[in-house]
Amino acid sequence: MFSVTACKDFSNKVLGKGELKDTLTEKLVVKEKIPHLLNRWDSLQKNQIQFTVDSLHPVPIKQQKRELKDSLRKAFNTYPKHIYLTFDDGPLIGSAFIDSIAKEKNIKVSVFLIGKHANMSKGRKRDLARYESNPLIACYNHSYTHANNQYSRFYNNPQNAFADFEKNEKDLNLKHKIVRLPGRNIWIYDNVRKIDLKNGSSTADLLHKNGYTIYGWDVEWRLNSITGAPIQSQESTLSHIRNYMNNKSSMVPNNVVFLMHDDMFQTQKGQQELSSLIDALKKDGYQFEFMQDYPIKY
């Protein structure tokens, strides 16, 4: 009977142990998947694909691009749909509910935390402890002060802003070097650099230079700044997510980063809307992911 072990034993005896790698074993190694579909999509988005017009059967280049885009969308639709539920500004009053619903629905949740809020009271410290002890919740860095809501002043001094993130990481004992900038939708990861407001770019670049990954968001469920209540309905928010997924208009196709805030879910109405939204996403077949695993490529 043929066996891989026998081949290894034979090669060790004849060639000497460790002198040559076993070629059969090498063939059995599963190589990392190359995201051909995403590479093709990116090339199309960046106009790096050359289209030609056949003189016998002319098809306009615009039509060729549209047809290729449609075919790539259909190809992406054969793969899983990934969503990242991210909650900013915790711990706050709504944090206890976020912790409990992650357990109830058995879903992964990402929270971007503010050290100043964690130290406001014993209640907020308990909320932080809940997050830390829940394996379905991953904790990330949203700065220590949230810029004291004075974003231009905060980002005008990148060194001080960087120190604010470092203080937050140390104070909250954060395990992942993943940040979201307060008041800015900035992305810097892999070879991606997307800046919404130039004012925050120097701070983002300094963070990235020091080993941090910066993530923004695709879809936001906006909140009333006075009451903390969600502005859009659960139905319209779900429709927005579906559009991003179906049109492949998120930063990475099949990956939608969804932004909410902890204090949106301090009332029963807000809690019911979040619960209904999660149920609808589950019914649609979405897979819930941590930001540390972003993006999942095909």
Side-chain angles (χ1 to χ4, degrees):
M1 180 182 293
F2 180 84
S3 73
V4 175
T5 304
C7 286
K8 287 183 178 179
D9 290 342
F10 177 78
S11 64
N12 286 340
K13 290 177 181 177
V14 176
L15 302 172
K17 185 175 181 181
E19 291 184 13
L20 288 176
K21 291 183 179 179
D22 184 87
T23 55
L24 182 56
T25 303
E26 286 182 325
K27 291 178 182 178
L28 294 174
V29 172
V30 178
K31 294 183 179 179
E32 183 180 356
K33 290 183 179 179
I34 299 173
H36 294 292
L37 192 56
L38 180 60
N39 289 346
R40 187 75 168 162
W41 178 270
D42 285 343
S43 297
L44 178 63
Q45 298 293 91
K46 296 173 183 176
N47 293 314
Q48 294 174 344
I49 298 177
Q50 287 189 334
F51 295 89
T52 58
V53 178
D54 189 333
S55 57
L56 294 177
H57 305 284
V59 178
I61 290 178
K62 283 187 177 180
Q63 182 179 337
Q64 292 184 54
K65 288 183 177 180
R66 184 171 62 252
E67 290 176 352
L68 176 57
K69 194 170 188 177
D70 288 342
S71 68
L72 290 173
R73 282 198 189 106
K74 290 178 181 178
F76 274 116
N77 286 340
T78 65
Y79 290 92
K81 298 180 289 188
H82 306 282
I83 189 158
Y84 305 76
L85 300 189
T86 69
F87 298 85
D88 281 10
D89 298 355
L92 289 169
I93 297 174
S95 303
F97 176 75
I98 294 167
D99 172 72
S100 64
I101 202 169
K103 295 173 183 174
E104 177 189 339
K105 305 292 185 181
N106 192 30
I107 57 169
K108 296 176 183 176
V109 163
S110 299
V111 295
F112 286 85
L113 302 174
I114 297 173
K116 188 176 180 180
H117 290 175
N119 290 314
M120 282 194 307
S121 66
K122 292 181 179 179
R124 300 293 77 79
K125 288 182 178 180
R126 284 195 296 269
D127 290 333
L128 175 63
R130 289 191 186 100
Y131 277 165
E132 291 172 335
S133 63
N134 188 344
L136 292 168
I137 291 181
C139 298
Y140 307 113
N141 197 334
H142 197 39
S143 80
Y144 186 83
T145 63
H146 201 268
N148 291 312
N149 294 327
Q150 297 179 349
Y151 305 119
S152 294
R153 179 181 296 179
F154 182 74
Y155 294 118
N156 282 340
N157 193 325
Q159 290 291 342
N160 284 355
F162 176 75
D164 196 70
F165 283 97
E166 278 196 314
K167 174 177 173 59
N168 201 46
E169 179 181 338
K170 183 178 180 180
D171 193 80
L172 300 184
N173 193 27
L174 297 171
K175 308 298 182 185
H176 304 285
K177 297 185 82 67
I178 292 174
V179 307
R180 176 175 284 160
L181 272 63
R184 298 290 182 269
N185 190 1
I186 291 179
W187 305 69
I188 304 181
Y189 70 93
D190 297 343
N191 62 344
V192 174
R193 183 177 184 272
K194 183 179 178 182
I195 308 295
D196 64 338
L197 295 175
K198 188 177 180 181
N199 178 251
S201 62
S202 296
T203 298
D205 288 334
L206 184 58
L207 285 162
H208 190 250
K209 181 181 177 181
N210 283 274
Y212 292 88
T213 301
I214 299 95
Y215 290 126
W217 63 90
D218 298 305
V219 179
E220 179 181 5
W221 196 354
R222 296 173 58 226
L223 78 164
N224 184 303
S225 59
I226 298 175
T227 65
I231 292 177
Q232 301 102 327
S233 68
Q234 174 262 318
E235 292 83 2
S236 66
T237 302
L238 178 62
S239 177
H240 202 182
I241 293 171
R242 285 170 173 163
N243 287 338
Y244 265 70
M245 180 60 70
N246 295 337
N247 295 328
K248 312 306 172 192
S249 49
S250 53
M251 180 69 72
V252 177
N254 283 37
N255 294 257
V256 174
V257 179
F258 180 36
L259 167 63
M260 296 164 281
H261 293 80
D262 283 39
D263 53 356
M264 293 170 63
F265 308 107
Q266 55 186 292
T267 66
Q268 188 174 8
K269 182 180 179 182
Q271 294 169 6
Q272 289 172 344
E273 290 206 347
L274 178 58
S275 180
S276 297
L277 178 66
I278 292 170
D279 289 342
L281 291 170
K282 279 190 165 187
K283 188 175 180 181
D284 281 355
Y286 284 76
Q287 296 183 7
F288 298 80
E289 313 289 355
F290 290 135
M291 283 307 303
Q292 66 217 49
D293 300 317
Y294 180 92
I296 297 172
K297 302 176 182 179
Y298 299 107

